[in-house]
Amino acid sequence: MMEKTNFIWFDGKMLPWDQAQVHVLTHALHYGSAVFEGIRAYACADGSSSVFRLAEHSTRLVNSAKILRLELPYTAKQISEAVVETLKANKLREGYIRPLSFVGEGEMGVYPGTNPVHTIIAVWPWGAYLGPEALEMGIRAKTSSFARMHVNTLMSKAKAAGNYVNSILAKVEAKEEGYDEAVMLDTNGFVSEASGENIFIVRDGIIKTTPWTSILGGITRDAVMTVARDLGYRVEEQQFTRDELYIADEAFFTGTAAELTPIREVDRRVIGAGKAGPVTKHLQKEFFAVVKGENPKYAGWSTHYTI
């Protein structure tokens, strides 16, 4: 269950959690006309808190709205400021942050017309998305029977609410068959991403991830690639097949929610040693040091605040 906090930022006003409501004829509820972000705040050792890559997330929200032709009355900088304001109002040192911009009520039909566009920011405490044990032991995944959409079917570079029906179908299928997550292929049969995460494989010391084609360009994905290269690893953006995933030495998911989660099994094939491998564990260690503000080299990725 989601743990409620005190306030939700709604169109510039701080409303009590239970008063942040919309009408049942809200356009986005019927047609998926919304864009959103997932962001994390981390408690740091020095007593401050750090929002990881806040500017990049706010920019992606604005860009997603542009792709969907949603007219936002806020800049990326204003969204970032509102995120920090909401965290402070809720006295939340660490947790999950959900900005959402959506088309409200008015005209009913696929065309949104002049319906207003609203923006909310909610925050709440949240631990490991796939479970704390998953960060060490890894998770089981299956190849989904649902393909990731063709790039001209839906706009894959927008983090749009409607796009996630595809992910819901894949995730429900995987869970009902006893797996933790789904691996989705693109319409050409290559590994694309998971229901809400990007995917990496490691083989012979080389780290490989799906290029920026059928995937949402993950901000955590970008961070992990940068850190890995700085550590001396060879990182390639290259298409790969699911049987190449089967014979990888290691595999892992990245995402704001999933952070850096190992994959121990895919389609009943054990990946590597069946748990987090040495490269994955190394990257995990360095990643968590970065997001908690413990590596000054990446200080620019952190937006610090104090309660």
Side-chain angles (χ1 to χ4, degrees):
M1 292 292 291
M2 183 186 301
E3 184 179 337
K4 288 184 179 182
T5 50
N6 292 323
F7 301 103
I8 290 177
W9 189 94
F10 198 126
D11 287 344
K13 298 178 181 179
M14 206 66 71
L15 298 183
W17 178 288
D18 292 328
Q19 292 180 25
Q21 300 178 359
V22 296
H23 196 274
V24 294
L25 293 182
T26 293
H27 192 274
L29 183 61
H30 294 257
Y31 300 107
S33 50
V35 296
F36 70 97
E37 279 298 314
I39 314 172
R40 275 193 188 262
Y42 292 88
C44 302
D46 64 1
S48 71
S49 294
S50 169
V51 185
F52 185 59
R53 302 198 75 174
L54 177 56
E56 289 88 344
H57 279 289
S58 298
T59 297
R60 189 170 66 179
L61 182 75
V62 171
N63 286 342
S64 293
K66 179 179 181 180
I67 291 171
L68 264 64
R69 301 278 304 273
L70 305 186
E71 295 292 334
L72 291 191
Y74 306 105
T75 65
K77 183 175 184 292
Q78 288 171 323
I79 295 293
S80 293
E81 290 170 349
V83 164
V84 174
E85 179 187 352
T86 308
L87 288 163
K88 288 183 174 181
N90 286 287
K91 297 180 171 56
L92 193 66
R93 286 203 61 209
E94 61 181 356
Y96 191 76
I97 305 155
R98 170 54 55 87
L100 170 76
S101 295
F102 61 96
V103 180
E105 67 170 309
E107 290 193 33
M108 183 51 68
V110 174
Y111 179 60
T114 59
N115 292 20
V117 176
H118 302 289
T119 299
I120 67 98
I121 299 168
V123 300
W124 62 88
W126 205 18
Y129 173 58
L130 296 167
E133 68 284 349
L135 293 175
E136 173 61 29
M137 297 307 299
I139 62 169
R140 299 176 66 244
K142 76 173 294 292
T143 303
S144 179
S145 67
F146 299 96
R148 186 53 99 204
M149 303 84 63
H150 187 276
V151 292
N152 283 330
T153 302
L154 290 171
M155 300 290 97
S156 62
K157 301 306 171 280
K159 195 171 176 67
N163 291 5
Y164 279 77
V165 172
N166 185 233
S167 294
I168 291 168
L169 291 168
K171 183 78 169 189
V172 169
E173 177 187 62
K175 295 290 283 186
E176 289 184 345
E177 294 187 22
Y179 294 86
D180 303 299
E181 187 53 278
V183 172
M184 306 188 72
L185 308 181
D186 65 22
T187 51
N188 292 314
F190 292 98
V191 173
S192 178
E193 55 190 348
S195 67
E197 304 90 13
N198 295 123
I199 187 168
F200 289 75
I201 61 174
V202 183
R203 192 171 183 210
D204 298 329
I206 299 171
I207 301 170
K208 188 183 293 187
T209 190
T210 307
W212 214 52
T213 50
S214 63
I215 68 168
L216 178 71
I219 291 168
T220 303
R221 169 185 177 272
D222 175 74
V224 169
M225 290 171 63
T226 299
V227 171
R229 285 171 173 150
D230 288 348
L231 291 170
Y233 290 104
R234 179 176 162 189
V235 181
E236 297 180 351
E237 293 181 84
Q238 185 183 113
Q239 289 182 313
F240 57 92
T241 58
R242 59 175 157 174
D243 50 356
E244 188 172 354
L245 171 58
Y246 295 157
I247 60 175
D249 299 324
E250 304 176 41
F252 57 88
F253 291 130
T254 63
T256 295
E259 297 169 308
L260 202 160
T261 299
I263 306 167
R264 73 171 188 266
E265 182 184 316
V266 178
D267 297 339
R268 302 188 185 280
R269 279 90 163 174
V270 174
I271 306 299
K275 59 182 180 180
V279 175
T280 303
K281 292 181 81 170
H282 188 195
L283 291 177
Q284 271 185 335
K285 179 183 177 182
E286 296 298 327
F287 173 76
F288 282 113
V290 169
V291 298
K292 293 181 180 180
E294 297 169 3
N295 188 332
K297 182 173 183 177
Y298 307 99
W301 284 352
S302 298
T303 299
H304 288 272
Y305 67 97
T306 55
I307 301 299

